[in-house]
Each structure stands twice: as C-alpha cells, then as structure tokens.
Amino acid sequence: MSVKKPIRQKVLAMRSIAPQIANAEQRSTCRDSQLLPACQQRSEIRPMNNLIDKARHLPINAAVATISISPVTLPMPGRDQPLELRITAPATGRDLPLILLSHGHGPSLYIASKDGYGPLANFLAEHGFVVIQPTHANSKVGGLAPDGHGGPLFWQERVEELTCIVDQLQAIDATVPVLTGRMDRERIAAVGHSLGSHTVSLLLGARLTSPDEPAAGRDMREPRIKAGVLLAGLGRGEDLDGPMGLRYPALSLGFSPMTTKSLVVFGDEDVSPHLTTRGADWHADPFHAPGADSLLTLFGAKHGLGGIAGYDAKETDDEDPDRLGTTQRMTWAYLRSALYPGDPAWQNACLALKDEAAELGKVDHK
C-alpha cells in the first residue's frame, strides 16, 4: 500500500512503571529473555499492585518503563478521515513483538477508542510488547458519523483499519523516531474485546454466516497476524437471537475456517441477552475453531473480565483486581509462547493457575 500522507505524532508521554529500571535494555529485549521454571518464578514475583492476591502467583517477567505515543495518524484509503492510534511500548529494547488491540462498542464516551483499555495495554507493554490501539470507526469520540453507511458498528471498516496498520508498519517505523528499528514485524498478534473480538475473529479466519449479509463467506484472514486472543468474544451466529443480534446480521460468525492460533477467554457469568438467549457459554464458542487451542474460563467473571476496559470504569460489571490480574497475565503468557515457540510462559502460567490460583479460573486445552 502506498502512503500518501505523512504519519504524525504530537504527544510523547513517559511513564516509569518498573520498581527498578536499571538494566531495562537487557530485560526488555524479548528475544533473549527466558522465564524461570514456575516453581522458581513464583517465589520471586514482587508485584507493585497491592490489590491482587492469588493472581500474583501467575508467573510474569520483570516490568520495564514504557513510553506512550499519541496520536499517531495514518491515512485510510478510501476515506478522508485518518486513523488515529496510540502506541505504547517498552522505553528500550529491540525486536519487540506487536499486539493490535481492538476495542469494543461499550456505553462510555472514551473507553471505546485509542485511549481506553489502559489496564490491558499498559500491562502488556510493561512486559515487552508494542501495543497499537486504533480509534475504530465506531468510536463515539473519534469515529465516523454513526448514521453513515455501515454505522453504527462499522464492522468492515474496523477490519480494514487493523489491516491498514499492518500494511503501514514500515511507515510507522520510519516516521516515529522512538520506535525506529525496534519492532519485530514478523511477530504480530491481535487481541479483541467484545466487538473487538468480532474484528479479530475475522482476521484470524472466521467468516460471516448470515444470508442477509452480502459479505457472508468472504475470507478476510490476515496471514501476517500469527496469533490472537478473543476476550468475551461473540459466539456462533446461529444462536445470535437477541435484539441486537437480530438487528445486525453482520455479527453472525462461523468459526470452522478460523485456523490461526488463538486463545479464547470468557467469564462464566457473562450472560448477554441483548445478543443471545443462550447462557454465558455462548462466549466460549470460538474455542471450537480449529486454530483455537486454549480456553480460559474465569470464574465469576462477566463481560468486563475484571476491569480490562479502564481503571475504575463505570461500565465494568465485575471489577475485581485478581480477576483483572489473571486476564492480564494469562493473555501475556499465551502470546509470549505463541509468538516464541518453545517459550515456557504459557505452560508455566497454566500450571500456576491450576496449583495456586484454581479459584480464579481454569484452562482447557485441545
């Protein structure tokens, strides 16, 4: 894709997150880092978060200082309004893997944008990932007019926006000086929450199934995305019989073609009558996809998965620091192992969850 307009960034904010940032360069060079065996790692964890208890037993690497660059502006082919991003990354280190983080369509004015999902984006960046967050077309604060073609959900534009980011990674590398030469463009993952899971599912290979949707059956898989995490995702289209599901046939998904490696995360109390008359297990349906090899069930969790969308956010329906910590750490561990075959992070995290934090959730494997 040719880039006709320059990428711009206006604000550069530095946050010091780590308890110690000496030797941060060495700690944040993800390619060389190795986790200790779970039995050793657990005793060495010293979380700064005073609110978590059992989740501290889930092993994680050392946190590092991060930088946040916002807004980074990309031209979007076929429309006048550019795409705005927030990029959060370790302050130092090279060969850093990438996460595209796709927000949902919640009731808040700002959370569904590049400025939401701080608890998840900040955590993943502090532990070695470059996290890229777009303000999708459906965003209230920075999206397109909701009564425009494709609105208010703009499902197709959302898919195109994530693809556009991948297309323009080289341009981002060249024009955002603090990231130049530091991103590993061969290690890309996508994470989506709620409506964001619909966007990511399509990029992982899922397809629309409703006969009322002209794009039904179209293959939108993005092969440059090597792994995905679906958080409180949408289930099978044939059970999308709630009011919102009937109104928007494009939400109807089929998962049999979804072959990209993925983790499915859902809460066993996430009942969504606006989407389906089925219970919370509807959100676990993507686990039936051939590429989905792990299912994390969070006990007592609802749609907010402990609070991933924002700090003290009013729309979080199940705020719980331990649950949030579990979502953060298990997401990190899965992507770490998925993008670095042979890395024991996911194996160690699953073992720790089973042995020391079983009341928080469980993992099923294929």
Side-chain angles (χ1 to χ4, degrees), residues 253-275:
L253 291 173
F255 297 102
S256 58
M258 195 177 92
T259 56
T260 304
K261 185 177 179 64
S262 51
L263 165 68
V264 178
V265 181
F266 87 107
D268 65 0
E269 294 186 13
D270 185 7
V271 179
S272 305
H274 61 296
L275 292 171

Side-chain angles (χ1 to χ4, degrees), residues 311-358:
Y311 301 105
D312 295 322
K314 66 179 181 180
E315 68 186 62
T316 299
D317 52 5
D318 65 338
E319 189 164 51
D320 183 289
D322 252 356
R323 187 174 298 134
L324 171 60
T326 303
T327 306
Q328 292 168 325
R329 289 166 181 248
M330 298 300 282
T331 297
W332 172 86
Y334 182 83
L335 292 179
R336 179 68 202 173
S337 293
L339 294 178
Y340 295 88
D343 189 300
W346 181 238
Q347 178 183 353
N348 290 347
C350 292
L351 178 63
L353 182 66
K354 179 181 178 181
D355 290 350
E356 301 192 49

Side-chain angles (χ1 to χ4, degrees), residues 35-277:
L35 290 177
L36 293 172
C39 59
Q40 299 177 33
Q41 182 81 19
R42 295 174 205 161
S43 64
E44 297 178 8
I45 294 173
R46 295 292 185 271
M48 292 182 67
N49 188 343
N50 296 325
L51 301 176
I52 65 173
D53 179 22
K54 294 295 184 181
R56 75 181 59 205
H57 295 295
L58 305 179
I60 194 75
N61 64 357
V64 299
T66 64
I67 52 175
S68 182
I69 310 101
S70 175
V72 175
T73 306
L74 299 180
M76 276 295 298
R79 79 183 196 203
D80 293 332
Q81 181 169 317
L83 178 64
E84 285 195 341
L85 313 175
R86 176 178 295 278
I87 304 178
T88 310
T92 58
R94 301 178 67 85
D95 300 319
L96 301 171
L98 308 176
I99 292 175
L100 308 180
L101 178 53
S102 182
H103 65 70
H105 188 72
S108 294
L109 298 178
Y110 299 98
I111 282 178
S113 76
K114 65 179 177 60
D115 299 318
Y117 290 81
L120 188 58
N122 295 341
F123 183 89
L124 293 171
E126 290 159 16
H127 294 279
F129 286 93
V130 175
V131 182
I132 303 178
Q133 297 175 259
T135 293
H136 279 302
N138 70 300
S139 172
K140 295 181 179 67
V141 65
L144 303 179
D147 58 353
H149 178 71
L153 300 184
F154 294 104
W155 73 265
Q156 187 166 346
E157 286 78 3
R158 290 172 57 97
V159 171
E160 292 169 352
E161 286 162 348
L162 291 192
T163 301
C164 177
I165 294 171
V166 178
D167 286 340
Q168 299 194 50
L169 284 174
Q170 185 172 356
I172 294 173
D173 181 275
T175 57
V176 182
V178 294
L179 296 175
T180 299
R182 301 181 58 217
M183 297 186 293
D184 186 347
R185 300 198 298 272
E186 298 300 315
R187 301 183 195 271
I188 304 174
V191 176
H193 175 240
S194 193
L195 183 60
S197 79
H198 178 274
T199 306
V200 171
S201 292
L202 291 171
L203 291 169
L204 299 179
R207 300 189 186 182
L208 305 183
T209 59
S210 172
D212 297 323
E213 173 50 56
R218 184 192 304 170
D219 184 3
M220 289 170 263
R221 190 175 76 87
E222 173 49 71
R224 291 169 293 182
I225 294 175
K226 300 301 194 298
V229 178
L230 306 178
L231 302 169
L234 275 65
R236 293 185 302 177
E238 52 261 45
D239 295 320
L240 193 71
D241 55 0
M244 188 172 178
L246 296 173
R247 183 178 179 185
Y248 299 110
L251 295 179
S252 180
L253 291 173
F255 297 102
S256 58
M258 195 177 92
T259 56
T260 304
K261 185 177 179 64
S262 51
L263 165 68
V264 178
V265 181
F266 87 107
D268 65 0
E269 294 186 13
D270 185 7
V271 179
S272 305
H274 61 296
L275 292 171
T276 181
T277 55

